[in-house]
Amino acid sequence: MTAVNIRTSSPRPLVSLLGPAFVAAIAYVDPGNVAANVAAGADYGFLLVWVIVVANLMACLVQYLSAKLGVVSGMTLPEAVGARLSKPSRIAYWAQAEVVAMATDLAEVVGGAIALHLLFGLPPLVGGVLTGVVSMVLLLMKDREGQRAFERMIIGLLSIIAVGFLAGLVIAPPEAGDVVGGLLPRFHGTGSVLIAAAMLGATVMPHAVYLHSGLAKDRHGPVDARQRGQLLRATRWDVGFAMVLAGTVNLAMLLVAAQNLQGVTGVDSIESAHAAISERVGPLAGLCLAVGLLASGLASSSVGAYAGAMIMHGLLRSKIPLLARRLVTLAPALVVIALGANLSEALVLSQVVLSFGIPFALIPLVRLTSDPLIMGESVNTKTTLGLGWLIAILISGLNILLIWLTVKS
């Protein structure tokens, strides 16, 4: 690939480099986040606002490290991991990643099915099939038009998600003092710990960590040393803008629920929360929420399939068409819906399964970006290394706690 001539002093070249982080950011506003953030606001009001802020700050570093690996090494995270494993180990590593990918798809397809039921009254199975079909169309356009066209489509859906979830906040804004009070780190009982762990688990997701390295590699790299520093600075801006947007949307989800659903009984699902918001805030807010949820399901489903194909290629060293890959992870989600499972419970369960995959993505990422043989002069500084290990240990530990508390309850 021809290296890009970058001049960050000119606004236009910098803007032209933005995009990969916004695709990865879709994972941060997927239906699993909706379920976790709405539950946090409805059950505990503004208590866990600080969790959103902390999770977003950690996500900034994680996504930057992933992008940096792709730019500097010219490898995706799965390729870099696979190059250091024996064949049996690669297959085992891929197996856990594949299970995580299926859990990811379950959350995205279920979210789309719920949204289509709220908007049009479609049966869940029909909504799940339509979500899968639309995500396939998006992937077809990616294959035909290229990555930049795919980025534009995903950014368009991300904009719809932002408007959908911010609308309720504009219609019924909370008191500033309540929001500021929620910035003080604290818990209130075991239940709040469980919800906080679920929020973190739904924020930093394995497939987004794997994917960003591939997005950055395909768009930019590898590049020579002269251009690398400029490109990494542009990548930091890309990640910063994307994560601020995703964090704002997540915060809006929690604030709307905290302002309008706290103390309201019977809002233990997305459907019931939508009904309560429509009643208390107005039909427009309910409509915007449903549209945002639909855009979230469609965008995150196609991005998840893209990540799954990249993971398979990197670890199994075999490439299959994106559409075939789409069917592999779509089928289990449709089976779960067809069996009549409680969709909100299925969303929560998917987040628990995703928790298993977090350490397998974060720990290799920190190790690889701290290896001077791979990263050269772009190797992690001691500060970055320390923060990276702290985040990896903290998020992995909280996800283990989430699994334990969920099984215990």
Side-chain angles (χ1 to χ4, degrees), residues 277-294:
I277 287 175
S278 298
E279 179 181 348
R280 297 171 70 89
V281 184
L284 178 60
L287 175 63
C288 290
L289 187 151
V291 170
L293 180 63
L294 177 60

Side-chain angles (χ1 to χ4, degrees), residues 3 40 56 69 75 112 137 153 166 173 187 194 209 215 236 255 265 284 312 331 353 364 384 388:
N56 209 56
L69 177 67
M75 294 185 290
V137 171
M153 290 185 291
L166 289 170
F187 295 105
L194 176 60
V209 180
L215 292 170
R236 285 193 287 271
L255 295 181
T265 58
L284 178 60
M312 178 176 284
V353 175
T384 302

Side-chain angles (χ1 to χ4, degrees), residues 221-248:
V223 294
D224 60 36
R226 180 179 58 85
Q227 296 171 318
R228 189 175 297 153
Q230 295 176 312
L231 182 53
L232 289 178
R233 285 192 292 273
T235 299
R236 285 193 287 271
W237 281 104
D238 190 26
V239 171
F241 287 141
M243 291 299 104
V244 166
L245 177 58
T248 301

Side-chain angles (χ1 to χ4, degrees), residues 4-19 148 152 219-220 230-231 234 237-238 241:
V4 181
N5 184 23
I6 304 161
R7 292 180 301 149
T8 54
S9 59
S10 172
R12 188 173 179 182
L14 175 60
V15 171
S16 72
L17 294 171
L18 303 181
R148 293 203 180 196
R152 287 192 290 269
R219 169 71 96 86
H220 304 305
Q230 295 176 312
L231 182 53
W237 281 104
D238 190 26
F241 287 141

Side-chain angles (χ1 to χ4, degrees), residues 349-405:
L349 179 61
S350 71
Q351 300 309 300
V352 176
V353 175
L354 285 172
S355 300
F356 284 97
I358 289 287
F360 293 97
L362 287 185
I363 293 174
L365 176 65
V366 176
R367 289 191 62 182
L368 289 167
T369 52
S370 302
D371 187 342
L373 295 178
I374 297 173
M375 304 301 293
E377 294 181 357
S378 301
V379 68
N380 291 336
T381 64
K382 290 183 179 180
T383 301
T384 302
L385 177 62
L387 288 173
W389 279 119
L390 178 63
I391 291 171
I393 292 169
L394 180 61
I395 295 179
S396 299
L398 283 173
N399 278 280
I400 292 170
L401 177 64
L402 171 62
I403 296 167
W404 182 75
L405 290 174

